[in-house]
Amino acid sequence: MPGKKQTDFFDVAVVGGGPSGRITALTLAKRGLSCVLVAPAAPRPDGRTTALWQKSISLLDEIGVWQSIRDNAAQLKKMRMIDDTGRLIHAPEVVFDSSELELEEFGFNILNNDLNAVLEERCAAQKNLTVVPGLVSSAAFGREHAVLTTANDKRSRPGSSWQRTGGIPCSARQSGST
């Protein structure tokens, strides 16, 4: 039986589901562009953290994420620089205090688990944003277009591909049996 083919068109394709990829897709979708985000689900658990500075916080506020994560973020009031070069003579440890610059804090630190959970939720609910779970297995770039194809695994739709033409426009083509 021949596979069913479906074509969707997007202005932008974002590949990668870490904080940067999800924030990019949300920002573009909120600005009116239709986006496809190709990314596996965020790893759980992720004990790493992300430091957010003022520009990042402003962007997260603009896309409606900051208020959802603010209570889970810790203020960064001091920065300590440590020489870990392993050299015989070490540079002295230096501590910077945000109050020296008349700032309440330099920024905030948040667990990636907390940040990723909110970003995943917002991406799933965002108008103009289609989330395709999985990985890109190949990318072919032509003179006026690019085609991205997802990996044929259980996390993605087999044979999915996105074509970019003329700079920004992107079309998604899916093929496979249904």
Side-chain angles (χ1 to χ4, degrees):
M1 174 186 290
K4 178 182 173 187
K5 291 188 177 187
Q6 175 185 338
T7 302
D8 298 309
F9 293 91
F10 300 95
D11 295 318
V12 179
V14 177
V15 179
S20 296
R22 291 185 187 279
I23 290 168
T24 299
L26 275 171
T27 301
L28 295 171
K30 283 193 171 278
R31 292 184 179 169
L33 297 169
S34 63
C35 299
V36 61
L37 172 65
V38 183
R44 301 276 198 262
D46 183 350
R48 297 174 299 164
T49 63
T50 296
L52 301 169
W53 308 114
Q54 293 306 319
K55 291 275 187 178
S56 299
I57 293 165
S58 295
L59 177 59
L60 291 172
D61 195 34
E62 177 187 324
I63 63 173
V65 172
W66 179 242
Q67 291 306 315
S68 298
I69 63 172
R70 169 64 179 94
D71 290 341
N72 291 330
Q75 289 179 309
L76 295 172
K77 293 185 174 206
K78 295 184 188 263
M79 283 194 287
R80 187 171 76 171
M81 307 300 268
I82 301 170
D83 183 347
D84 189 27
T85 61
R87 295 184 182 138
L88 181 61
I89 299 174
H90 294 289
E93 182 177 306
V94 179
V95 177
F96 298 97
D97 193 308
S98 62
S99 65
E100 295 171 345
L101 298 173
E102 300 179 4
L103 297 173
E104 188 174 335
E105 69 274 317
F106 289 115
F108 290 83
N109 203 37
I110 186 164
L111 283 169
N112 283 359
N113 279 342
D114 296 338
L115 178 59
N116 287 332
V118 170
L119 290 172
E120 278 188 32
E121 177 184 296
R122 295 296 167 91
C123 284
Q126 178 61 45
K127 184 177 95 176
N128 293 348
L129 178 55
T130 300
V131 179
V132 175
L135 303 170
V136 170
S137 61
S138 68
F141 300 93
R143 182 179 161 109
E144 294 186 14
H145 71 275
V147 176
L148 305 178
T149 304
T150 58
N152 188 2
D153 64 21
K154 293 180 181 174
R155 294 172 297 197
S156 65
R157 295 177 283 197
S160 299
S161 63
W162 288 264
Q163 180 176 344
R164 182 178 139 204
T165 51
I168 294 178
C170 226
S171 68
R173 290 181 293 175
Q174 299 174 324
S175 61
S177 299
T178 55

